[in-house]
Amino acid sequence: MDKRGNSLQDIGNQPIAEISVEEGKDVKLSCTLKKISDANYLYWYRQASRNAPVYILYSISDKDYKSTDFPHRFSSTVNESNEDFELSIVTVLIGDSAVYYCANDWSLKI
């Protein structure tokens, strides 16, 4: 369930991979989602070791709505043509080490 109490309809196709990034560098994480359009709510979550996933942001119509727990270093990009949804993290910190998930709730429309 997202922060508005909606269940997530489609979990993105993310390759399972470990990415190593030097502290202070930038990184982009990518996943492929079906049926991306301007009306989609697209989500990123982060799961640190032994904790529940935590909401980072959702994006709709190319605008991010971030959790207050995540700073300006986190943003997303949507490419509808290849159904790609990216999470950018600038100036990576040790505390950013986690498993990241994307999701698409295409059942919600504005």
Side-chain angles (χ1 to χ4, degrees), residues 97-109:
S97 181
V99 176
Y100 289 80
Y101 299 97
C102 67
N104 178 2
D105 186 349
W106 48 266
S107 65
L108 295 174
K109 304 288 182 193

Side-chain angles (χ1 to χ4, degrees), residues 17-87:
E18 184 173 313
I19 299 171
S20 296
V21 179
E22 275 185 53
E23 188 172 17
K25 300 287 186 183
D26 300 345
V27 67
K28 285 187 180 184
L29 307 177
S30 182
C31 75
T32 301
L33 293 165
K34 299 174 188 172
K35 302 178 185 175
I36 290 180
S37 76
D38 280 345
N40 287 141
Y41 287 79
L42 306 173
Y43 301 86
W44 278 103
Y45 289 84
R46 175 169 83 181
Q47 185 173 19
S49 179
R50 299 183 185 198
N51 293 315
V54 176
Y55 159 79
I56 300 171
L57 61 79
Y58 76 90
S59 178
I60 185 159
S61 300
D62 289 327
K63 181 159 174 53
D64 288 344
Y65 298 89
K66 295 178 199 154
S67 164
T68 56
D69 296 334
F70 287 86
H72 64 279
R73 297 182 306 108
F74 293 79
S75 63
S76 70
T77 306
V78 178
N79 184 331
E80 291 179 29
S81 63
N82 66 3
E83 300 181 326
D84 193 46
F85 183 41
E86 290 183 336
L87 178 69

